[in-house]
């Protein structure tokens, strides 16, 4: 399946990706977070695994909103090893490499790192089968944007 909006159209690069439905975890019908505990174990079932790429102020805002909207989600944050961003309240796990993040098999990813890195990171995540929300601006250049939009999810 190609990356498409809810009407089945390929989004233009100028559209806000969150409004196109590319990140299905934020749809109105799925944000209630009302999953029930799994039967017989007494543990709360994790309803999804999400990845947030970046640890700046916008990434932190996404982390707080996602934790509020999906309290039973497992949230992983990918940040640079030399990052001095401190603690990330609400994150279940912090990883330092994209390979480590992909090994956790996130279903959704919010790309909120610096814009020159949006397309390369989003391309790898799309190839791994993640649904994406790419923070604006989509990139600082158009190189690779068509290839990302045409990527087939695994």
């Amino acid at each position: 399946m190609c990356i498409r909006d809810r009407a089945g159209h390929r989004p233009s690069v100028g559209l806000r990706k969150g409004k196109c439905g590319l990140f299905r975890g934020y749809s109105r019908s799925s944000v209630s977070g009302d999953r029930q505990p799994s039967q017989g174990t007494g543990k709360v079932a994790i309803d999804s695994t999400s990845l947030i790429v970046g640890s700046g102020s916008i990434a932190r805002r996404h982390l707080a909103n996602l934790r509020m909207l999906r309290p039973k989600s497992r949230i992983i944050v990918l940040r640079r090893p030399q990052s001095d961003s401190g603690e990330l309240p609400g994150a279940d796990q912090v990883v330092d490499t994209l390979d480590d993040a992909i090994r956790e098999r996130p279903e959704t990813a919010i790309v909120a790192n610096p814009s020159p890195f949006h397309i390369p990171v989003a391309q790898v995540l799309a190839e791994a089968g993640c649904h994406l929300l790419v923070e604006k601006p989509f990139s600082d250049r158009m190189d690779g944007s068509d290839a990302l939009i045409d990527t087939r999810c695994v």
Side-chain angles (χ1 to χ4, degrees), residues 17-147:
K17 299 305 173 205
K19 298 287 185 184
C20 295
L22 295 180
F23 183 68
R24 295 185 186 131
Y26 269 2
S27 67
R28 269 258 192 242
S29 62
S30 65
V31 296
S32 62
D34 57 355
R35 298 277 175 138
Q36 298 299 316
S38 51
Q39 296 297 322
T41 64
K43 295 180 182 176
V44 175
I46 294 175
D47 62 0
S48 66
T49 299
S50 298
L51 171 67
I52 298 176
V53 180
S55 59
S57 63
I58 300 301
R60 288 172 181 269
R61 183 174 299 162
H62 283 296
L63 175 59
N65 289 336
L66 188 58
R67 179 57 65 206
M68 180 183 65
L69 293 170
R70 305 289 302 245
K72 297 172 188 157
S73 288
R74 181 168 175 250
I75 303 174
I76 301 163
V77 175
L78 169 61
R79 68 176 178 187
R80 293 175 295 130
Q82 66 273 23
S83 174
D84 60 354
S85 58
E87 292 295 315
L88 294 165
D92 294 306
Q93 182 178 355
V94 177
V95 295
D96 296 332
T97 68
L98 189 54
D99 288 337
D100 289 342
I102 290 172
R103 270 194 282 280
E104 299 300 323
R105 302 178 51 96
E107 291 119 7
T108 57
I110 299 173
V111 180
N113 56 347
S115 62
F117 307 108
H118 284 180
I119 291 176
V121 170
Q123 182 69 46
V124 172
L125 292 169
E127 290 171 359
C130 291
H131 297 283
L132 300 172
L133 181 146
V134 179
E135 194 45 73
K136 65 180 186 178
F138 188 64
S139 183
D140 62 340
R141 60 187 158 292
M142 299 307 292
D143 300 343
S145 60
D146 286 334

Side-chain angles (χ1 to χ4, degrees), residues 1-11 15 19-22 24:
M1 177 176 133
C2 288
I3 298 175
R4 298 188 182 276
D5 67 13
R6 289 188 177 145
H9 301 102
R10 284 182 35 187
L15 291 175
K19 298 287 185 184
C20 295
L22 295 180
R24 295 185 186 131

